[in-house]
Amino acid sequence: MVWIPLVVSLLGASAAGPEPPPARDAAEVAEAWFRQVHRFDALEAYEGRLGSRVMQFVVARRWKDGRAQLLVDIRAPQSLAKVAFLFLQNRDRSDDFFVYWPPARKVLRLTAAELDTGVLPIGRLMTLGDMRPVLPGELTHTPLPDTEVEGEPCWSVESRPSGRTLGFDRMVLEISKKTGVALRTRLYRGRREVRRISVSPNDVRRFDERYLPVRREIEILTDGAKAELVLRNLMIDPPLPDQLFSEQSLITQRFPSF
């Protein structure tokens, strides 16, 4: 895969962009962040590091009828280059997850729990909670006292699933008042914090009219592992055909390259 540099004009300092609208309550703060980070069509290229392991993968995301469809294509290391998986979001039933697993030479169906526990090679870099866009109404939000992250004032919000399993019992977000980006995301199961995602304000960039993190530090608190996830390339609102988000697409491996 050829890694195309991010366009310089899109990587201008975050201070050059428009300020996010002032938020009135916890739900508005949290939902504005979810809209900003996930609720748009995109091609995203990532590089992840976990210890000595390096992984490159591309996420194709499309919204259809108010629900997200995602296809994840692993590009490196070469030993995993044919692994790909498909996620189809549902409102009235469980989400659909499929993976093309080269040793079996077929598409396997997974449960949400399997994705979240890292059964796939990508699972410890990005889990279900990271990749699955949150739909409006799926979480209830409660305000917490304001905080600071590296000197940047933040709103703090506790979010809990309002009826379906999302891989966590509660999420605590510390969201920058300057950019609307969640600089800290803490995921809990029961009383135990299991995962923490940290973003430095210096690693936030403006892409068109939205701010996004270009680098994240991920701590897996259940075993002490630490990972780094870097956004290498981004294309907003690309043309993504229906056939891309199908089980047949996983088999044919005809994925976008950019």
Side-chain angles (χ1 to χ4, degrees):
M1 174 183 179
V2 177
W3 292 93
I4 303 173
L6 290 166
V7 179
V8 173
S9 64
L10 295 182
L11 283 177
S14 60
E19 295 288 332
R24 292 187 296 271
D25 57 30
E28 183 177 353
V29 170
E31 291 298 327
W33 163 237
F34 296 137
R35 285 195 303 271
Q36 185 164 285
V37 71
H38 280 149
R39 293 178 191 164
F40 61 99
D41 293 0
L43 282 171
E44 299 171 337
Y46 290 97
E47 182 172 285
R49 293 180 178 271
L50 182 64
S52 61
R53 295 179 59 194
V54 177
M55 182 172 291
Q56 296 172 350
F57 58 96
V58 172
V59 179
R61 181 176 61 247
R62 184 181 71 163
W63 287 84
K64 186 174 183 181
D65 301 326
R67 295 168 296 174
Q69 302 173 326
L70 298 117
L71 185 138
V72 180
D73 175 29
I74 297 179
R75 300 291 176 88
Q78 186 61 36
S79 60
L80 299 173
K82 290 188 177 295
V83 176
F85 66 93
L86 174 68
F87 161 70
L88 303 175
Q89 196 171 38
N90 297 307
R91 275 193 175 274
D92 54 352
R93 57 186 175 85
S94 298
D95 298 328
D96 296 318
F97 299 94
F98 305 92
V99 60
Y100 178 72
W101 194 244
R105 295 185 180 181
K106 64 180 180 179
V107 174
L108 307 175
R109 190 179 186 115
L110 299 176
T111 67
E114 287 174 315
L115 258 176
D116 193 54
T117 54
V119 68
L120 295 178
I122 201 175
R124 302 187 76 202
L125 293 169
M126 295 184 76
T127 67
L128 172 62
D130 305 322
M131 298 181 65
R132 183 193 185 279
V134 176
L135 297 178
E138 287 190 327
L139 295 174
T140 58
H141 308 287
T142 303
L144 298 175
D146 288 357
T147 59
E148 284 190 0
V149 174
E150 296 184 23
E152 189 151 310
C154 294
W155 294 291
S156 188
V157 178
E158 180 183 85
S159 302
R160 293 178 180 266
S162 56
R164 66 184 300 166
T165 300
L166 295 179
F168 57 89
D169 297 321
R170 65 186 178 102
M171 170 193 295
V172 174
L173 299 164
E174 296 174 68
I175 299 174
S176 168
K177 294 183 179 182
K178 182 178 180 181
T179 62
V181 170
L183 301 180
R184 296 288 185 273
T185 302
R186 305 172 192 267
L187 300 175
Y188 293 82
R189 293 196 187 104
R191 296 184 179 181
R192 186 180 186 187
E193 183 181 359
V194 295
R195 190 171 172 85
R196 183 182 304 163
I197 302 168
S198 301
V199 176
S200 170
N202 295 327
D203 291 325
V204 175
R205 302 289 186 269
R206 184 167 67 98
F207 297 83
D208 292 344
E209 295 304 313
R210 69 184 69 240
Y211 290 104
L212 294 172
V214 295
R215 179 179 174 275
R216 308 175 211 191
E217 292 183 353
I218 301 168
E219 297 177 71
I220 306 164
L221 301 175
T222 52
D223 61 11
K226 294 184 178 180
E228 177 186 62
L229 189 66
V230 178
L231 178 66
R232 292 298 189 190
N233 200 5
L234 171 67
M235 184 181 297
I236 295 176
D237 293 330
L240 298 172
D242 287 345
Q243 59 266 30
L244 179 63
F245 301 95
S246 67
E247 294 180 60
Q248 183 61 31
S249 177
L250 295 181
I251 297 171
T252 59
Q253 301 271 303
R254 295 174 182 172
F255 305 137
S257 181
F258 77 116

